[in-house]
Amino acid sequence: MQIYVSAQAKPGGDGSKQAPFQTISQAAKIARAGDEVLVAPGIYRERVDPLNGGESDEKRIVYRSEEKLGAVITGAEPVKHWQPHSENIWIARISNGIFGERNPFTALVSGDWFVATMVAHTGDVYLNGKSMYEVTELEQVEHPQRSEASWDSDFSLYTWYTEQDEASNETVLYANFQGKDPNQENVEISVRPSCFYPSREGVNYITLSGFTVCMAATQWAPPTAYQEGMIGPHWSKGWIIEDCDIYESKCSGISLGKYLQPENDNKWLHKKYKDGTQTERECICQAQREGWSKERIGSHIVRRCDIHDCGQTGIVGHLGGVFSIIEDNHIHHINNKQNLAGAEIGGIKMHAAIDVIVRRNHFHHCTRGLWLDWQAQGTRVTQNLFHHNTLPNLPEEEKAETGPALMMGIGEDIFVEVSHGPTLIDNNLLLSARSLKLPTQGVALVHNLIAGGLVSVSIGTDNGAKTLSSPRYTPYHVPHQTEVAGFMTFLHGDMRFYNNIFVQQPIHPLLRAGMENMEPNCWDDGNVLCGTFPYNGYPTFEEWDKEFEGYCGMGSAPSDRYYMHLPVWAEGNVYFNGAKPWDKEKNAVQVTDAEVSLSIRQENGTYILETDLYEHMPKGKRPFISTETLGMAFEPEQKFEEPDGTPIVFGTDYFGEHRGIEPMPGPFEIGKAHIVL
């Protein structure tokens, strides 16, 4: 059955084409498996709470915008009654009844691993669709200070402040619109905590297609809490979110994440006695007891969406995103205001991305591009473009701090944290100053173009105790399932580098100074030097294997064999501009007779890679890589293979073009000076 919705419809419609419903929520109350909800262009100021789900992939409920991006689901309401307060300052009073159960202008952003650098509310004020900057005192509205941390410092002068008038039960907003008349502009405030999100779990097989979704007052979404998003399946199976424009969520745009565990929700923040790693382990084990399985949870698809200008993440997920596909999305300008801080920020931030495929996405101008935290087991990151994910607009040298604070405040293209693998990263372009943060093991990097540093090698897997040992034990799973097979800390290594191109880019003086001036710490070494050399000293497989020769159990002499670094494999890689190989790499090729250029530019919405490195590419035989070449990740004893267990042969490149028997290193089988991406 087709159900019709139009914001311009008269009240009292029945959902027919002749008499559409006025709201999507009306349709969501009656839609059943196999139905299609067709939504006419217009603005829908509502939180859609689907009552029912589909029954299978073939019999799902589809919500479709009749005109792509024409139907707008927004968590905001317009405010047209601003009054002058003082020079450049306007005031508006909002009756608190409009907010329902949660007033976003009294609810504070909070949660595990959120760094409260300021008092921040979940609500926002938007000028022409763009969120302004909250401040903590009225004086900061009257005399705003430019934020040098913001990636858009000019707009940081547009400030707002809120307080409560308890006598009248009103939210009072003060705002500086920099000379603009807010009653002549489009000024809105966030009212609802989400836009399309079921209130109950298990609402399966829903498609959301072609909508604009924006401006909701979402809460911080750590892995140990109920994870909110403007859109989300809420602990369900088989959703498809496609062809949507998703922007201006206070925290997260899409949540594929965790359900509510009342006794374990933000437990680390509220109780403190157990460290966050332990509460995280408890969340995982509780979820497994309560039905976290491939049969019930995950297997979502997010595709062809434009996801941008969110405060915490474009896509967030823990446990609920397993077995999903995230493909062909444009994910950009995430956390650029820099008013939210903490360890859960990125274009995508996923815990437990078991058998998740992240392919053909474009990540740029995010504080961090892709963060795979814990249990990136069977995860494949392939054919993605990453650039400008490391402070692209660095300040002038004399104005900036050059110590640890600078380096700890920046991200990288891909961060894989405390996972046992197998994690496969192949055929990607990693062009930021910091390409890969790798406090982890069990990763294979194959046919990538890497132009930034490898960061946090050999560190970052402990909890940072002052004097005592504090290793982080994280789980690994039965292959291609959610069942936990064991817990283990990290030996580091178990890394594979095959047929990659490493290009050392010019290093900004601040990044170099920050790296050189960093005091030793257990989280970040600030490395912006390109190459596999951070693994110097790690054993080859043959060296590691030799440690076990003659071992006969309890009668053997004491040895570090079970606690030494795991081996590294590297072959077929090419290094330009002084990029350095691992000291034991097999047949490493360093090009020393030419300096190559590498840059990316945008032209009429198209991104173009310009480089002369293929003019200087040395000839030579490189290995053809497949699942069998890569072997098994050490701890889970699982191969680098497809989610269904079939082997991978790396016979196609970034564009899907066929690779020959003697493949070209890097992501392109045919190298050119101008490559349209």
Side-chain angles (χ1 to χ4, degrees), residues 509-523:
L510 286 184
L511 295 181
R512 181 180 291 278
M515 176 183 67
E516 294 173 348
N517 296 340
M518 282 192 80
E519 298 176 1
N521 72 81
C522 63
W523 301 109

Side-chain angles (χ1 to χ4, degrees), residues 124 126 129-132 213-217 230 246-251 308-311 337:
D124 253 322
Y126 308 95
K130 186 173 181 177
S131 61
M132 297 169 61
V213 183
C214 59
M215 296 187 288
M230 288 199 299
I246 299 163
Y247 65 94
E248 283 292 1
S249 172
K250 180 70 175 196
C251 290
H308 56 103
D309 293 288
C310 298
K337 291 171 72 175

Side-chain angles (χ1 to χ4, degrees), residues 267-329:
K267 187 175 183 178
W268 181 62
L269 173 69
H270 296 308
K271 296 188 177 179
K272 295 293 185 188
Y273 296 123
K274 293 181 179 179
D275 70 43
T277 299
Q278 181 64 8
T279 61
E280 170 78 352
R281 285 190 289 261
E282 291 177 356
C283 284
I284 295 164
C285 292
Q286 179 180 341
Q288 186 166 301
R289 293 194 305 272
E290 295 177 347
W292 178 47
S293 69
K294 189 172 186 177
E295 290 69 36
R296 297 184 63 245
I297 303 299
S299 298
H300 307 299
I301 299 174
V302 180
R303 61 191 178 201
R304 300 187 302 271
C305 292
D306 188 4
I307 307 169
H308 56 103
D309 293 288
C310 298
Q312 178 192 339
T313 66
I315 302 174
V316 73
H318 180 213
L319 305 173
V322 290
F323 315 112
S324 294
I325 298 173
I326 301 173
E327 62 184 4
D328 300 307
N329 300 289

Side-chain angles (χ1 to χ4, degrees), residues 73-87:
I73 309 174
T74 175
E77 293 287 341
V79 179
K80 290 294 186 184
H81 59 278
W82 294 91
Q83 297 294 324
H85 176 71
S86 60
E87 185 178 2

